[in-house]
Amino acid sequence: MDLWMLIAKALVSLVAIATALGGALADLVIPATAKQHMSNPHWPPHAKFHNGQTIWLGIFLGLLALWLLWYPGEASQIQFHMGVLVAALYWLSMLGASLLPGTRWIDPEFEKGSPSAMKVAPQMRLMFALLAILLASEILQLL
């Protein structure tokens, strides 16, 4: 495996790890952000169910991406591209979710205390950064 491919796989792995751990940490563990999600007393149980579903989906997608990238044996291009695609799906779903009626990146009760550069939600900035890393990894593997 050449150096550029190794760097590309490492970048995708970074995104896959963020995908696997990010939702669980942000929505369930870190108090400042969990209070907006699983610890939010205003959320009905069914909303929490779907948040839990999303947390587990992120874990499964992240682990699948890592498996595709690092599966022992001869590395194939298709495995790399599938790893990138799987790592991107969770973050791309955020764009889709934002298009549905009645959705917001941040609940109104938390908007005032939320630091946002140019009125862009923190998770939107993270999404664009991680998708940019995945795009960069696709370019690097061509070198």
Side-chain angles (χ1 to χ4, degrees):
M1 176 181 328
D2 72 350
L3 178 62
W4 292 115
M5 179 55 102
L6 185 60
I7 293 170
K9 286 174 76 169
L11 289 173
V12 178
S13 296
L14 175 75
V15 175
I17 292 167
T19 302
L21 298 179
L25 290 174
D27 293 1
L28 191 60
V29 177
I30 300 170
T33 52
K35 72 179 181 182
Q36 299 177 40
H37 298 93
M38 293 303 278
S39 299
N40 187 341
H42 300 203
W43 272 27
H46 191 68
K48 291 181 181 189
F49 169 85
H50 283 292
N51 187 224
Q53 180 184 19
T54 304
I55 289 169
W56 281 106
L57 181 60
I59 292 168
F60 295 144
L61 288 171
L63 292 174
L64 177 58
L66 289 169
W67 181 80
L68 286 165
L69 290 168
W70 301 105
Y71 183 78
E74 187 177 329
S76 73
Q77 286 295 103
I78 192 71
Q79 278 180 258
F80 174 79
H81 297 305
M82 289 300 294
V84 171
L85 178 62
V86 168
L89 289 175
Y90 181 85
W91 304 102
L92 290 171
S93 72
M94 285 183 162
L95 287 176
S98 69
L99 299 174
L100 297 174
T103 63
R104 294 180 72 152
W105 285 90
I106 300 172
D107 284 326
E109 66 185 287
F110 297 104
E111 275 184 337
K112 290 185 180 170
S114 174
S116 60
M118 301 180 307
K119 299 290 182 189
V120 177
Q123 60 271 53
M124 184 186 281
R125 289 194 301 270
L126 177 63
M127 174 198 66
F128 282 128
L130 294 177
L131 289 174
I133 289 171
L134 293 175
L135 180 60
S137 72
E138 282 287 351
I139 294 168
L140 282 174
Q141 67 84 32
L142 294 172
L143 300 176

